[in-house]
Amino acid sequence: MGSDTKQTVSRRSKEHTLVNPIRSIKALPQGPWPTEDPFLFCVHHNDQYPKGNSKFGPNSSLQGRQIGTDFSGKDGWSMYHGDVVPGFPRHPHRGFETVTVVRDGLVDHADSLGAAARYGRGDVQWLTAGSGINHAEMFPLLDESRPNPIDFFQIWLNLPKAKKMVDPYFSMFWANEVPIVNVEDKSGNKSEVRIVAGTFKQHKAPSPPPDSWASSPQSDVAIWSMRLQPGAQLELPTVRAGTRRNLYVLSGAFKMGSQVVNAGHVASLATTDAAVLENDDQSTDILLLQGRPIAEPIARYGPFVMNTREEIQQAFSDYRRTQFGGWPWDADDPVHGSKDARFAKHADGRIEKPV
């Protein structure tokens, strides 16, 4: 066999061993999006709420809505489980974490520990439910003269078995604390990467809660919100074998290798090598969820995520017995007044405000 033939065979062999950068592309459902271990749940709420009324609800008729369970999206918004103010009144969690990334609008938090917060406009709340917490998440419509849009992700991140029964608490990442990395490609086209968790180009997100899987250096957990200008190219860094990466496309489209991923789809990456996103001729908005699996058994029922069915039954029993600390609020859907100032009051009485 001549040397030219050997080189041709060698080239073909390498071509056949190249890994397709995308493992799968799936259409996103209307409700919660598909996720992979260590993530349990992800939902994008983008509601175009109208002007508010004197009770912080919509100054609009609620006729035709199934109040208490309104996920209709009628007129561009839903009441969810709220009956006056949109949102999610008192409900329990155990065994995992919620990461709420608010891009627009405000969320009012209240919980069974007596803690409270009003956050939004780029803020992130990272709540460790641990052994059990009751909380409410309401979306007060404070402005009575203009619409009150809200745009946020809620992501559920599993807790390892050893951490499922830690004491509950939350951390606030105010908007000015969440790094934004601006990247310019060789053609001068720009991308923006907002780092809620993980590291991108030596820029680190705020430290996750100490009991979180994201706190383990082995976890490779990353949560990035990425916006690509028309024509931009953005390179994702390499990750270790076994790390899972999913790209959720909210608007626009991108190409990776020979495959195109359009808005309303999620691409699961097969490669751990550096991967280049090539944007088309419009702006593209992407959420990245990345992490190494916890790889433990999962038993889940509604608001509880444990490792066995027996632990789920115990969670229900404990909740019936203790209400996870009760409920120190006058209503199941507390709203924290008419001022739009953001704040957090922790269970120990500590008051925190954005700089």
Side-chain angles (χ1 to χ4, degrees):
M1 185 182 291
S3 61
D4 289 344
T5 306
K6 287 181 180 178
Q7 288 175 3
T8 301
V9 171
S10 176
R11 283 197 299 271
R12 286 176 180 168
S13 176
K14 288 179 181 177
E15 288 170 0
H16 284 303
T17 59
L18 288 177
V19 176
N20 188 323
I22 295 178
R23 174 162 45 100
S24 67
I25 299 173
K26 297 177 182 176
L28 293 173
Q30 289 285 58
W33 294 344
T35 56
E36 293 187 280
D37 186 0
F39 297 98
L40 299 162
F41 172 98
C42 179
V43 68
H44 179 219
H45 291 288
N46 188 3
D47 290 278
Q48 304 304 307
Y49 290 117
K51 298 174 184 178
N53 59 30
S54 60
K55 296 181 178 179
F56 311 113
N59 188 7
S60 181
S61 171
L62 299 182
Q63 262 192 330
R65 296 178 183 272
Q66 179 117 17
I67 297 304
T69 55
D70 172 38
F71 289 76
S72 66
K74 185 175 180 288
D75 300 325
W77 51 276
S78 299
M79 288 295 289
Y80 301 107
H81 294 309
D83 54 10
V84 175
V85 178
F88 296 86
R90 173 169 59 154
H91 58 282
H93 292 306
R94 172 181 276 187
F96 63 97
E97 299 183 288
T98 64
V99 184
T100 308
V101 182
V102 186
R103 309 200 299 178
D104 192 16
L106 293 169
V107 176
D108 275 5
H109 166 93
D111 67 37
S112 51
L113 305 178
R118 171 167 286 172
Y119 64 96
R121 299 169 186 162
D123 301 330
V124 177
Q125 186 196 63
W126 196 311
L127 183 146
T128 304
S131 61
I133 194 169
N134 259 320
H135 77 152
E137 300 156 294
M138 307 308 299
F139 316 144
L141 310 185
L142 302 185
D143 199 323
E144 296 184 26
S145 61
R146 291 179 297 181
N148 292 268
I150 193 168
D151 179 357
F152 72 93
F153 303 110
Q154 183 161 101
I155 300 154
W156 291 9
L157 178 63
N158 201 9
L159 283 168
K161 180 177 177 63
K163 302 290 186 177
K164 283 193 177 292
M165 296 298 286
V166 298
D167 290 338
Y169 61 94
F170 67 82
S171 301
M172 293 303 309
F173 302 166
W174 302 110
N176 62 292
E177 300 171 333
V178 179
I180 297 175
V181 182
N182 293 298
V183 181
E184 188 171 308
D185 65 20
K186 292 178 181 178
S187 301
N189 299 311
K190 296 178 181 178
S191 301
E192 175 187 286
V193 180
R194 194 158 181 267
I195 313 169
V196 174
T199 301
F200 181 78
K201 291 188 177 294
Q202 287 74 56
H203 295 268
K204 291 186 177 181
S207 297
D211 295 307
S212 176
W213 176 239
S215 290
S216 167
Q218 305 301 315
S219 73
D220 280 351
V221 167
I223 301 172
W224 302 339
S225 180
M226 306 185 293
R227 296 182 189 269
L228 283 66
Q229 286 187 351
Q233 293 190 353
L234 178 66
E235 182 175 282
L236 303 181
T238 60
V239 290
R240 285 174 292 184
T243 297
R244 296 173 174 176
R245 292 192 286 188
N246 286 277
L247 302 174
Y248 302 83
V249 185
L250 284 78
S251 63
F254 72 86
K255 182 180 177 182
M256 183 176 285
S258 61
Q259 294 182 280
V260 176
V261 186
N262 292 303
H265 290 76
V266 56
S268 299
L269 301 195
T271 180
T272 56
D273 295 332
V276 177
L277 309 181
E278 300 178 61
N279 198 18
D280 65 4
D281 57 359
Q282 57 185 319
S283 295
T284 296
D285 188 3
I286 302 169
L287 174 70
L288 175 144
L289 297 183
Q290 170 189 296
R292 291 173 66 82
I294 295 173
E296 294 177 347
I298 294 176
R300 60 189 297 176
Y301 193 94
F304 306 140
V305 182
M306 304 301 289
N307 297 106
T308 67
R309 298 305 300 172
E310 291 75 17
E311 289 170 340
I312 292 290
Q313 292 167 356
Q314 186 63 53
F316 277 101
S317 175
D318 291 346
Y319 181 60
R320 285 193 294 267
R321 181 172 50 85
T322 69
Q323 295 293 294
F324 292 163
W327 191 248
W329 304 93
D330 293 335
D332 287 344
D333 57 351
V335 172
H336 304 315
S338 59
K339 294 182 180 179
D340 70 355
R342 292 131 61 216
F343 74 95
K345 178 185 176 183
H346 294 268
D348 59 5
R350 176 171 57 95
I351 302 293
E352 183 183 357
K353 295 180 180 180
V355 176

